Amino acid sequence: MKMIIIIICYSVFISSILILMKIYQKIWILLKPFWFSRHSIFSGLLFFSILAMIYLLVEIQVWLNNWNSDFFNALEKIDANKLKNLVFWFIGVLAILIIVQVNKSWLIKLLNIRWRKWLTEYYLNLWLKDNQYYYYLLEHKDQQIDNPDQRIAEDIRMFIDRFLALTLGFIQSFSMLVTFIIVLWNVSGSLEFELFNQQWKVKGSLVYCVFIFVLINSFIAHFIGKKIRYLNREKQKSEANFRTALINQQTNAETLVLDEENQNKQKNELNQLFYSIKENWHRLMNCQRNLEYWQVLHQRISTVIPLFLLIPIFIAGKINIGGLMKARQAFMLVANNLSWFINKYDDLAEFAAIVDRLYQFHIAIEKKHHNPTQIGEKIVVKKGEILLPNNINLLKNINISLKKGCWLYIKGRSGIGKTTLLKTIMGVWPYAKGLFIKPEKIYMVTQNSYIPTGTLADVLRFPSQGNICENILISTLIKVNLAHLIPNLNAHHQWQKILSSGEKQRIGIARVLLKNPEWLLLDEATSHLDEESALTLLKLLKQSYPQMSVLVVSHQNQIAQQVADSIYQLEADQ
């Protein structure tokens, strides 16, 4: 008897992990951060409470199975008193069943949101720590599989949803399976037949029958639905690409609306992306339809097989109507729970695709990047060499030393790597060799200053929300020729969309005036301004803070040379 249970349980285990056997290591890596943290203690108690409720539900199902036998036996004997008692007992147990089932669902949802909150914060911290998001986008900018927004927002949610549903569902099915195999063994009696001139007697025949029946069906289901995992992965990828393209279209609406040709091109790209979604959807739905044909057939056959097998025993009078119904229900429960792999194949395939995507993201953002820049008292580059992510040499033999209070203009043709040099000095470009030193407190203004949503005062103070008084903000706006914005200083808007490119660059210079850094890097910080305005702002910086040390990168050569104390020429083959 024990051997039978071990064999059947083992078969269930093998079948259920068939699709997961290539991803169990990935699942383990994704589970460890939460379940091995101190925050998991209460969640562990929730999980064991849910398991206790699952066990109680299994016991209630056993009682209902016995009740089913007693009810049909009483019905066959027309025993009114027993039928009455059974009805009252059924109402009481049904009330307990509803309470346990509803609260189990509530606890699962509580565990779900606790886990999701922790895991989302965990990956957000990894994503933002040490500029990891920048390196990730840098290394995946030419690929269409990144979509980090989906991986943090959607894949984490779906991973937790599917994991809890599949894991708890498997545990419940496994518990039901072990329990009702014993019940089925006891009620199925012995199958007697003659073969090869020898009389055979097989005890617990229905257990063997259900095992063979489900095992064959499981392999057939795997054969039919083995493409579903790949198609689900493609579905998530195509959906994410389409959503990203829509966001890009909204972000660049002003550029697109001015060029009808660009609008048509963007429309064609969106249509093509959605066509990929549609094509993948058709392939997925066809595969799911074929699998569903087999699932429905399997479920229907499992309801009649026990009746066909027990009819001879029933006709021989070895089992009454209650026993027949009890055996039928036990067979159906064993077949249903033994068929967990068949019934959940589609969900398992989708879960595997989610694990693949989240694991890729996990590995990418845990990758360590070398920071070539050291902290020192001034900006120094000796025998510097800058590479591209693919290890191709961009610049070499760079030697720079910026003195205190001096302005150094970095000159070179477009695309040679001037901006990348500034990024390396800042310590955010990891593909470099040689000696790079920067002061601990250094500030950089890029061509496109970040403009957050909020009040204009918040925009000026960004990233610090310090107590810079309103009068200083107003005087700074006047200095950078943005006096017309003073009435809206405390207005809350999406300033990124309201301000022009030139106004955003003036905001960038205003922040420098407010911050007063000792060391400053300017990367095309006035490129959207006319030459007179650009020169006025740069002279304003130099006159306001004569002790400030500045590295300037600009294509406005005449302007940069007028404010620079010295010039460093970059050459590709230097």
Side-chain angles (χ1 to χ4, degrees), residues 432-489:
K433 300 176 183 178
L435 179 65
F436 291 84
I437 300 176
K438 70 166 185 176
E440 185 174 4
K441 295 183 179 180
I442 187 171
Y443 190 68
M444 181 171 176
V445 181
T446 63
Q447 184 176 8
N448 300 304
S449 295
Y450 176 68
I451 308 296
T453 298
T455 66
L456 185 59
D458 293 335
V459 170
L460 288 167
R461 295 187 183 109
F462 183 87
S464 172
Q465 296 300 316
N467 296 321
I468 301 177
C469 71
E470 202 168 282
N471 289 336
I472 295 178
L473 296 179
I474 291 172
S475 65
T476 304
L477 285 175
I478 295 172
K479 288 178 182 178
V480 297
N481 199 23
L482 290 177
H484 60 282
L485 295 178
I486 293 174
N488 298 314
L489 189 62

Side-chain angles (χ1 to χ4, degrees), residues 247-505:
I247 294 172
N248 289 337
Q249 193 268 345
Q250 180 181 354
T251 304
N252 299 290
E254 185 174 346
T255 303
L256 293 170
V257 77
L258 296 175
D259 191 330
E260 186 175 349
E261 185 177 347
N262 274 343
Q263 290 185 59
N264 292 331
K265 182 180 178 181
Q266 183 73 4
K267 182 180 178 180
N268 291 334
E269 288 178 358
L270 290 172
N271 286 334
Q272 186 62 39
L273 287 171
F274 188 77
Y275 178 79
S276 299
I277 294 174
K278 182 177 75 71
E279 287 300 300
N280 177 266
W281 182 264
H282 278 293
R283 292 195 297 270
L284 181 59
M285 64 186 280
N286 290 337
C287 193
Q288 289 173 329
R289 177 198 59 195
N290 297 336
L291 179 61
E292 191 173 352
Y293 274 136
W294 187 253
Q295 289 173 332
V296 173
L297 178 63
H298 169 77
Q299 291 171 359
R300 295 306 176 187
I301 291 176
S302 66
T303 63
V304 296
I305 282 182
L307 293 178
F308 292 157
L309 295 174
L310 291 171
I311 282 175
I313 300 176
F314 177 73
I315 293 175
K318 295 181 180 180
I319 188 173
N320 56 23
I321 186 68
L324 180 66
M325 299 308 295
K326 182 177 182 179
R328 176 177 180 266
Q329 187 178 28
F331 184 97
M332 290 169 58
L333 286 169
V334 170
N336 183 60
N337 290 288
L338 196 59
S339 304
W340 182 84
F341 169 74
I342 299 175
N343 298 330
K344 298 296 182 182
Y345 194 99
D346 197 9
D347 292 336
L348 286 168
E350 185 178 20
F351 178 66
I354 294 167
V355 169
D356 284 341
R357 285 179 53 79
L358 196 54
Y359 176 77
Q360 291 171 0
F361 182 67
H362 176 91
I363 294 301
I365 63 175
E366 278 208 329
K367 182 179 178 181
K368 302 300 181 183
H369 292 86
H370 166 66
N371 183 357
T373 306
Q374 304 174 22
I375 300 298
E377 296 182 354
K378 61 180 182 178
I379 295 177
V380 176
V381 180
K382 287 185 178 180
K383 296 182 179 179
E385 184 176 346
I386 299 176
L387 310 171
L388 295 174
N390 57 7
N391 235 18
I392 295 177
N393 192 284
L394 183 64
L395 290 169
K396 59 182 180 180
N397 197 27
I398 309 167
N399 295 280
I400 294 173
S401 180
L402 181 61
K403 298 178 181 179
K404 189 73 174 177
C406 291
W407 284 54
L408 176 61
Y409 171 40
I410 306 294
K411 188 177 180 181
R413 63 173 175 78
S414 178
I416 197 172
K418 302 185 295 295
T419 295
T420 308
L421 172 60
L422 296 190
K423 289 179 181 178
T424 308
I425 293 172
M426 286 295 292
V428 298
W429 187 266
Y431 316 106
K433 300 176 183 178
L435 179 65
F436 291 84
I437 300 176
K438 70 166 185 176
E440 185 174 4
K441 295 183 179 180
I442 187 171
Y443 190 68
M444 181 171 176
V445 181
T446 63
Q447 184 176 8
N448 300 304
S449 295
Y450 176 68
I451 308 296
T453 298
T455 66
L456 185 59
D458 293 335
V459 170
L460 288 167
R461 295 187 183 109
F462 183 87
S464 172
Q465 296 300 316
N467 296 321
I468 301 177
C469 71
E470 202 168 282
N471 289 336
I472 295 178
L473 296 179
I474 291 172
S475 65
T476 304
L477 285 175
I478 295 172
K479 288 178 182 178
V480 297
N481 199 23
L482 290 177
H484 60 282
L485 295 178
I486 293 174
N488 298 314
L489 189 62
N490 294 307
H492 191 285
H493 292 300
Q494 289 185 341
W495 292 101
Q496 175 69 26
K497 296 181 179 180
I498 295 174
L499 298 175
S500 68
S501 298
E503 287 174 328
K504 292 174 186 176
Q505 291 198 326

Side-chain angles (χ1 to χ4, degrees), residues 101 426 538:
Q101 184 68 48
M426 286 295 292
L538 294 179

Side-chain angles (χ1 to χ4, degrees), residues 171-204:
I171 291 172
Q172 183 163 333
S173 290
F174 192 83
S175 302
M176 294 278 282
L177 175 66
V178 173
T179 301
F180 281 95
I181 280 178
I182 299 172
V183 174
L184 186 61
W185 180 276
N186 292 329
V187 300
S188 60
S190 300
L191 178 64
E192 299 179 8
F193 58 93
E194 186 176 338
L195 183 64
F196 303 120
N197 297 322
Q198 187 175 351
Q199 195 69 23
W200 295 83
K201 183 177 182 181
V202 181
K203 188 176 181 181

